[in-house]
Amino acid sequence: SAVISQKPSRDICQRGTSLTIQCQVDSQVTMMFWYRQQPGQSLTLIATANQGSEATYESGFVIDKFPISRPNLTFSTLTVSNMSPEDSSIYLCSVEDTGIAEAFFGQGTRLTVV
Amino acid sequence: GEDVEQSLFLSVREGDSSVINCTYTDSSSTYLYWYKQEPGAGLQLLTYIFSNMDMKQDQRLTVLLNKKDKHLSLRIADTQTGDSAIYFCAERNAGNMLTFGGGTRLMVKP
């Protein structure tokens, strides 16, 4: 299974600021995803991070609010922009590979916006 | 759209078996998964089952799938206090995307 490292593991941020979350995988993977888990809730897919092109966003999520980069097959970043308290959530990176059924997750970034 | 439902809470005594249930609506599901989330941690993949199978066993874990009723269950034998966590079921649809249930919080009492 892939080993996924997310940084930071947690942060407390002021409203109106931005935070960039990093996801590093120990091997090349085909697909990388970003999920949000609001307090006490399940996971919601934000976007698919595409290598070398713009991310594919799910309904309700836009690039201006959640810009994503994926410069190579082992690394991606998610930025939460112009934060408000409603953005307080756990953000999780997930990876999958072509032809493999498993989806693996990082340990998550717990974000609190004050 | 797809919907995945789980009961919110389950409490068992240490040493008993736990059964966590999940229902889903998407008849085109290809794989179904069980994940474990401990406090402050990410999701740990426990096991998964191909939609053409009806059972999978892995040590203390048994997954049962009733495709006709769209019902998935996870049985944990000899439940331990370390099994206390939130368990999420998820289904992969024909579009290859995952949909997660709301999670079941398992509490194991000593």
Side-chain angles (χ1 to χ4, degrees), chain A residues 9-52:
Chain A
S9 58
R10 58 176 61 229
D11 208 342
I12 301 173
C13 299
Q14 296 289 325
R15 69 178 68 200
T17 63
S18 298
L19 176 72
T20 295
I21 303 167
Q22 298 180 1
C23 178
Q24 178 75 55
V25 194
D26 68 342
S27 59
Q28 292 186 345
V29 291
T30 313
M31 290 165 282
M32 297 182 77
F33 304 91
W34 287 99
Y35 286 82
R36 180 175 72 182
Q37 185 181 20
Q38 293 178 298
Q41 303 294 315
S42 186
L43 279 75
T44 301
L45 180 65
I46 298 171
T48 303
N50 299 311
Q51 193 231 341

Side-chain angles (χ1 to χ4, degrees), chain B:
Chain B
E2 300 97 15
D3 197 21
V4 181
E5 299 282 345
Q6 298 178 240
S7 53
L8 285 176
F9 188 75
L10 176 65
S11 178
V12 300
R13 293 217 171 269
E14 193 173 18
D16 288 350
S17 292
S18 307
V19 179
I20 303 171
N21 294 301
C22 173
T23 58
Y24 59 99
T25 58
D26 187 357
S27 57
S28 66
S29 294
T30 55
Y31 290 91
L32 296 116
Y33 304 79
W34 284 105
Y35 286 88
K36 176 183 181 183
Q37 186 178 38
E38 296 183 82
L43 268 67
Q44 174 194 354
L45 177 62
L46 290 177
T47 186
Y48 66 96
I49 189 168
F50 184 49
S51 60
N52 279 356
M53 298 170 62
D54 52 21
M55 187 181 94
K56 182 177 180 180
Q57 186 151 5
D58 184 359
Q59 300 182 332
R60 291 191 298 123
L61 305 178
T62 302
V63 178
L64 295 178
L65 174 61
N66 182 325
K67 194 172 181 181
K68 174 175 170 289
D69 294 339
K70 300 190 185 68
H71 182 268
L72 181 74
S73 68
L74 174 69
R75 179 178 181 269
I76 305 172
D78 187 25
T79 313
Q80 303 298 306
T81 54
D83 295 323
S84 293
I86 300 176
Y87 290 80
F88 290 94
C89 84
E91 62 97 14
R92 186 182 294 280
N93 62 25
N96 210 33
M97 305 309 289
L98 292 178
T99 301
F100 286 83
T104 299
R105 183 179 295 273
L106 174 64
M107 177 181 289
V108 183
K109 298 178 181 177

